[in-house]
Amino acid sequence: QGIIRSNGVARITLYSPTQATILSAKIEGTAITSVNISPNVLPPGHTEVAIQFNDISSLIPYNVYEITLTVNMGGKITEIKANASY
């Protein structure tokens, strides 16, 4: 499980079986989307990713949110879901 900080940066560890490119991220149940993702290319294995979101003022502290990442894995667009607490 990851964490969302008050500055809008979420840190989560993702697993990818192959090299993949993260195209975008959003927080489910909200209109909050990513403005920057670093690194945006995942090598095979586990990688910690920092996701900068736009205005997170609508999030409720101590809640857990689901982050959906849209990923290009070898030409196939898929979604990876991860939880993060705020």
Side-chain angles (χ1 to χ4, degrees):
Q1 175 165 309
I3 189 162
I4 303 170
R5 302 207 179 276
S6 58
N7 63 359
V9 175
R11 290 196 173 274
I12 54 175
T13 299
L14 301 174
Y15 173 78
S16 180
T18 63
Q19 182 169 307
T21 302
I22 303 172
L23 304 175
S24 64
K26 64 182 178 182
I27 299 177
E28 288 298 327
T30 73
I32 301 170
T33 57
S34 60
V35 291
N36 188 49
I37 301 171
S38 179
N40 69 330
V41 176
L42 300 175
H46 291 89
T47 306
E48 185 182 73
V49 176
I51 305 164
Q52 175 72 55
F53 287 103
N54 58 12
D55 182 14
I56 62 162
S57 61
S58 61
L59 297 187
I60 301 164
Y62 310 109
N63 277 16
V64 175
Y65 291 91
E66 185 176 63
I67 298 173
T68 300
L69 298 106
T70 302
V71 177
N72 182 337
M73 225 177 260
K76 181 183 175 198
I77 306 298
T78 187
E79 289 186 342
I80 297 175
K81 296 190 182 288
N83 289 329
S85 57
Y86 176 57

